[in-house]
Amino acid sequence: MNLALLKEFFAGFLRTRHIARHFRRLAMLETVNDASVSREVPPTLAQTLVGAANSCAVQLLGTLGSHTDGLTAAEADALRVQYGLNEVEHEQPLPWWVHLWHCYKNPFNLLLTLLAVISWLTEDMKAATVIFSMVVLSTLLRFWQEAKSNKAADALKAMVSNTATVLRRDDGKRIELPIKQLVPGDLIVLSAGDMIPADCRVLSAKDLFVSQAAMTGESMPVEKFAQQQDAQARNPLDLENILFMGTNVVSGAATAVILTTGNSTYFGALAQRVTATDRATTSFQHGVNKVSWLLIRFMFVMAPLVLFINGFTKGDWTEALLFALSIAVGLTPEMLPMIVTSTLAKGAVFLSRKKVIVKRLDAIQNFGAMDVLCTDKTGTLTQDKIFLARHVDVWGEESDDVLEMAYLNSYYQTGLKNLLDVAVLDHVEVHRELKVGTAFQKVDEIPFDFNRRRMSVVVVMMLMVMVLRMILV
């Protein structure tokens, strides 16, 4: 700790003397000693994942207390009490008094508070009242604006919920559950576009490709299998049948069992390390602190100088002290914190009218420094329903054959869950006319992927199967 403070002090000394270019090795030293977030898998978790990857499916389910048909609701509730919710470590909202302290603490506010106290002790009540009022107003304005923005952001987060398809042994059906309610031993069904909700072991897979870019940096998807091919692999990120929380399914379908949840996952371990690190100061905060310390240093130089010169020349040290204090107060712009905070608050209000929530006022300067802001459209607020209005062929003509083929595809596909399939399956009259349950048999399925942008099923009519059997006999 002392070494870090000494290094920071020396670096500041070099910058103020404009001789930092002669000490470029300091930058190299900082890069070597930089406390960046480690991406290594914790040893205990690595051992758990490697053991699960090399275990047979039946043995692994027995170890987790699960079943090939999944857990019952009672078993899941008991495990949830034991392991907790499936939530990773995240930055907790600060208590109001801690938030108020963070809004107050900066070098300039501390300096103004000191000057207000000195003015009060010297019975200069007008100066003390003005200075103290500026500090209180700037602090409360920042606190109120950030609290309001955080409340709006939390309300938006509450509107978004991710779910996973889980097998339950109670009724043998697939149900949709919020991700935070998943527990170790749950069997989940995955398809293209799904987010992996926890660290899992693949039990069955059909052309399963997973994007692990968030974990390994690989841009290309990685194929996953039900069995581990290399029994000697010890790096969990190289295991071929292990899925990690935070990755997503690019194509294919799979059934997997959850091994670890929440902070016990690899993603959770990374999140804990990230939240444990201090938030870096922005360029705006750095600039304000730099100006504040410049004024403070100038005041600490000028005030004692005026005190000693006035004291030695006039001999009245009391008057010299009061005059030095008035110089210190005069050199300090009391309105600066109020002006900075009100300007940032005005920017936050302007952005709120554009439907942009700014949780921290210091981020306003970062927005202003941007020339182009690129965002990703993640979804649209709709009724979450699609209606099939027409079914046409390539010439734009109404075609019942198109509807029948679409119905067979939607009925027999087991991969990507899509609202289009729900809209097609609403035409129950097609089911009756085709006698889908008895007249057709599924042969194979090609899962959805983002290159073909489609999924396909192969079906055969049972009548043709019977005819071929008779001919072969």
Side-chain angles (χ1 to χ4, degrees):
M1 182 65 181
N2 294 333
L3 180 61
L5 290 175
L6 180 61
K7 187 176 70 172
E8 184 178 354
F9 174 77
F10 184 63
F13 173 78
L14 295 179
R15 286 193 296 269
T16 56
R17 295 297 183 273
H18 302 288
I19 56 175
R21 63 182 182 275
H22 301 298
F23 296 84
R24 291 302 181 190
R25 294 183 62 184
L26 179 64
M28 298 176 60
L29 181 63
E30 289 178 350
T31 58
V32 172
N33 294 331
D34 183 23
S36 58
V37 178
S38 173
R39 301 179 69 89
E40 293 183 1
V41 181
T44 305
L45 176 60
Q47 184 178 1
T48 301
L49 296 178
V50 171
N54 294 314
S55 300
C56 67
V58 177
Q59 179 183 356
L60 179 61
L61 291 175
T63 303
L64 294 172
S66 186
H67 192 269
T68 54
D69 295 328
L71 300 171
T72 64
E75 291 172 341
D77 292 338
L79 290 171
R80 195 174 299 114
V81 173
Q82 179 181 353
Y83 293 101
L85 295 176
N86 183 28
E87 294 179 329
V88 299
E89 186 82 13
H90 58 276
E91 191 175 12
Q92 299 292 335
L94 297 175
W96 69 267
W97 59 89
V98 179
H99 184 200
L100 185 63
W101 165 249
H102 282 289
C103 293
Y104 167 75
K105 66 165 189 176
N106 64 66
F108 215 78
N109 279 343
L110 295 175
L111 172 61
L112 290 178
T113 303
L114 176 62
L115 293 178
V117 172
I118 294 175
S119 300
W120 179 73
L121 292 176
T122 56
E123 299 182 354
D124 188 357
M125 300 306 297
K126 291 184 179 179
T129 303
V130 171
I131 297 174
F132 187 71
S133 299
M134 294 299 102
V135 173
V136 171
L137 287 176
S138 63
T139 302
L140 291 182
L141 181 59
R142 176 183 289 266
F143 174 78
W144 174 76
Q145 185 64 43
E146 291 187 356
K148 186 174 67 172
S149 298
N150 288 330
K151 184 177 180 180
D154 292 339
L156 285 178
K157 288 180 183 178
M159 296 174 61
V160 180
S161 61
N162 294 324
T163 61
T165 305
V166 183
L167 295 178
R168 280 285 180 260
R169 199 162 76 247
D170 301 280
D171 48 11
K173 294 182 179 180
R174 302 177 180 182
I175 60 174
E176 293 288 330
L177 281 181
I179 287 179
K180 66 179 182 179
Q181 294 187 11
L182 300 180
V183 295
D186 264 333
L187 265 64
I188 58 175
V189 180
L190 301 170
S191 57
D194 283 349
M195 184 73 71
I196 308 299
D199 288 351
C200 310
R201 153 74 192 273
V202 179
L203 300 179
S204 63
K206 175 72 173 178
D207 299 329
L208 180 65
F209 285 85
V210 177
S211 174
Q212 296 186 160
M215 302 297 174
T216 63
E218 299 180 16
S219 58
M220 298 300 294
V222 179
E223 186 171 8
K224 296 291 184 176
F225 306 93
Q227 299 295 329
Q228 173 64 21
Q229 306 295 326
D230 184 9
Q232 303 300 320
R234 289 295 175 264
N235 185 0
L237 296 175
D238 295 333
L239 298 176
E240 299 171 329
N241 58 351
I242 297 296
L243 306 176
F244 294 95
M245 178 188 232
T247 60
N248 62 285
V249 180
V250 176
S251 63
T255 302
V257 60
I258 294 179
L259 302 175
T260 57
T261 59
N263 291 332
S264 300
T265 62
Y266 176 45
F267 187 82
L270 290 179
Q272 284 181 306
R273 295 167 186 168
V274 170
T275 54
T277 58
D278 294 331
R279 185 189 296 268
T281 57
T282 63
S283 59
F284 175 75
Q285 291 173 321
H286 180 71
V288 170
N289 291 339
K290 185 177 181 180
V291 172
S292 301
W293 283 113
L294 176 62
L295 293 173
I296 291 172
R297 286 194 293 265
F298 191 63
M299 184 194 68
F300 282 154
V301 170
M302 290 299 298
L305 187 61
V306 170
L307 172 65
F308 287 117
I309 292 177
N310 202 8
F312 282 119
T313 56
K314 294 186 178 181
D316 190 349
W317 287 97
T318 303
E319 182 181 351
L321 177 61
L322 294 176
F323 185 69
L325 291 177
S326 64
I327 291 295
V329 173
L331 289 174
T332 306
E334 293 86 356
M335 288 292 293
L336 182 60
M338 186 63 187
I339 293 173
V340 171
T341 304
S342 60
T343 303
L344 295 178
K346 182 180 179 182
V349 172
F350 174 78
L351 287 176
S352 67
R353 293 171 183 164
K354 302 292 184 180
K355 302 187 184 304
V356 176
I357 296 176
V358 182
K359 296 178 65 176
R360 303 175 73 90
L361 284 183
D362 293 331
I364 295 291
Q365 190 271 344
N366 292 336
F367 274 106
M370 294 179 188
D371 294 324
V372 179
L373 175 62
C374 300
T375 60
D376 179 27
K377 177 180 177 298
T378 56
T380 306
L381 294 178
T382 64
Q383 292 183 350
D384 201 29
K385 292 182 179 179
I386 294 179
F387 300 94
L388 178 60
R390 299 174 61 201
H391 37 89
V392 298
D393 55 23
V394 292
W395 293 279
E397 302 292 336
E398 291 278 348
S399 174
D400 291 336
D401 292 337
V402 172
L403 178 59
E404 293 174 359
M405 295 296 179
Y407 193 92
L408 291 174
N409 184 287
S410 300
Y411 183 82
Y412 284 105
Q413 72 95 6
T414 59
L416 179 66
K417 299 178 288 295
N418 199 311
L419 293 176
L420 294 175
D421 296 316
V422 177
V424 172
L425 294 176
D426 284 340
H427 288 260
V428 292
E429 70 279 2
V430 180
H431 189 95
R432 291 193 298 266
E433 293 176 3
L434 294 180
K435 300 179 180 178
V436 176
T438 57
F440 294 90
Q441 181 179 348
K442 180 179 175 181
V443 178
D444 198 2
E445 177 179 352
I446 303 176
F448 177 88
D449 65 72
F450 292 96
N451 293 324
R452 295 175 66 240
R453 296 182 182 275
R454 69 191 67 186
M455 60 85 51
S456 308
V457 295
V458 180
V459 297
V460 62
M461 295 184 65
M462 294 299 297
L463 180 60
M464 295 180 60
V465 174
M466 294 175 60
V467 170
L468 289 174
R469 288 176 178 175
M470 292 176 60
I471 294 175
L472 293 176
V473 173

